[in-house]
Amino acid sequence: MQRRDFLKYSAALGAMSALPLWSRSLFAAERPALPVPPLLTADAQNRIALTVQAGETLFGNKRAATWGYNGALLGPALQLRQGREVTVEIRNALAEETTVHWHGVEVPGEVDGGPQGIIKPGGSRTVTFTPTQQAATCWFHPHQHGKTGRQVAMGLAGLVLIEDENSRKLRLPQQWGIDDVPVIVQDKKFTANGQIDYQLDVMSAAVGWFGDTLLTNGVIYPQHSAPRGWLRLRLLNGCNARSLKFATSDQRPLYVVASDGGLLSEPVKVSELPVLMGERFEVLVDTSNGKPFDLLTLPVQQMGMTVAPFDQPQPVLHIQPLQVTASGTLPDTLAILPGLPALEGLTQRTLQLSMDPMLDMMGMQALQQTYGDSAMAGMMDHGQMGNMQMGHGQMNHSQMGKMQMGNGQMDHSQMGNMQMDSGQMNHGGKGFDFHNANRINGKAFDMATPQFAAQKGQYERWVISGEGDMMLHPFHIHGTQFRILSENGKPPAAHRAGWKDTVEVYGARSEVLVRFQHDAPKEFAYMAHCHLLEHEDTGMMLGFTV
């Protein structure tokens, strides 16, 4: 063996030995290159064309029916410019209705793409808007009422990149697909013959639809070769119901530079980065030492989401630095974040999130019977949650009998006669529709009746409460980027103190400062909802006008 070959192979073996065992075994196999969505910009007439279409995608060694935008799965990344009007022509080539919602983009209600913005099969819709917000990584996805979870699970999701003058002047990594890389993470479940196995039933309505296969940009554990230096990762949790916690296999830090609504005031160094469903974060990672590593997702405390293999760290993306040197930098300061205004005298709204106790109990029972006790990780102690009243959609466990988790059994003997029949729950002989069982302020979603009217240009203080509930609710508000005042009763973490469109609500109260700069009439009301998609699809959503 020649000396240069010996050194090359020794270095490769040394790098492999530094990785976890599961990573080393996969390192030996040929992994796919990370697919990078094409960057789609407006043409000379400031127009972009999107087609919602069906296709087929290979997952492992099996081919599945999938949906995508301008392709079989996922979609392009739309690059928009602050202050520049764009017209998007959307054609629906599917055999069912859909909508296209601009998640995180501050646009008027009539073009927001909520459940009212229906595009019929074979039909089309054209929307025109001008992004006025700062540079940000947003995304677009369906918002078809009652079917959002299924349509996202089938593959409908794409990125929106908004640029502004400040973002172009910063020397952040910005070579698309090279040192500026999108990382869309989703989990899926497949049938025995390899098709996407989506079910909206009692269990998924309670805890969400989750899978056992992790996909990054639509493929299983891909690899990306990056220049040495600063690597920018645009992270999107595109899962229906699974929260993620990102870290690296060799404990190198992540430097958070942007959240949902754009750049932070300065980078925030973290060793672990929790990301809720629908959230985006931009992070920089230093690859200058040339050593390969994995981006991982670590186990989380969320009901149903510790089922194997997610009881262990899971690889998301393998990163292999190259010899060539990257040109991007990590600036000390990023953007000017305005101070919070005075909070006295502001309109305050309280949104109480709740789940029907029958759905809650039956969903957890189905989860436990299907996956065992380990699936209940993250379940809050009922004895410490206080009196959970179920008047108008709130739970009172003292009236529901004992819920014993010893030996994996829940005692429902005092909860009445609960029968499961073709997806219907019967309580005391009365039929129960789980499609409208999740609620805000005691009411399931009603598209025809907005709940309130916000005043354009005025700050409001919204309190979103999950008190009396044991489920994680990533709460998303359309038409705005807000500031978090408190999250589950605590001040927001530094990397969550910037512009956000999603806040965590987990058995406690979270407060946000919102302001809407566009109109949203009754026929095109904005939505506020839980972004655990099965909760949204089964009623945990309301409309409001501006």
Side-chain angles (χ1 to χ4, degrees), residues 303 360 364 379-380 382 385 397 469-472 506:
M303 197 176 302
D360 199 11
M364 286 192 294
M379 181 176 174
M380 296 181 182
H382 287 245
M385 291 183 67
H397 286 250
D469 189 276
M470 66 192 73
M471 297 291 178
L472 170 66
Y506 201 2

Side-chain angles (χ1 to χ4, degrees), residues 1 3-19 27 228 289-292 320 323:
M1 184 183 295
R3 182 174 182 274
R4 63 176 179 272
D5 290 331
F6 174 78
L7 292 173
K8 179 175 68 176
Y9 295 138
S10 296
L13 289 169
M16 284 174 59
S17 67
L19 296 172
F27 188 85
R228 292 194 189 193
N289 65 5
K291 295 180 179 179
Q320 176 66 58
Q323 292 295 332

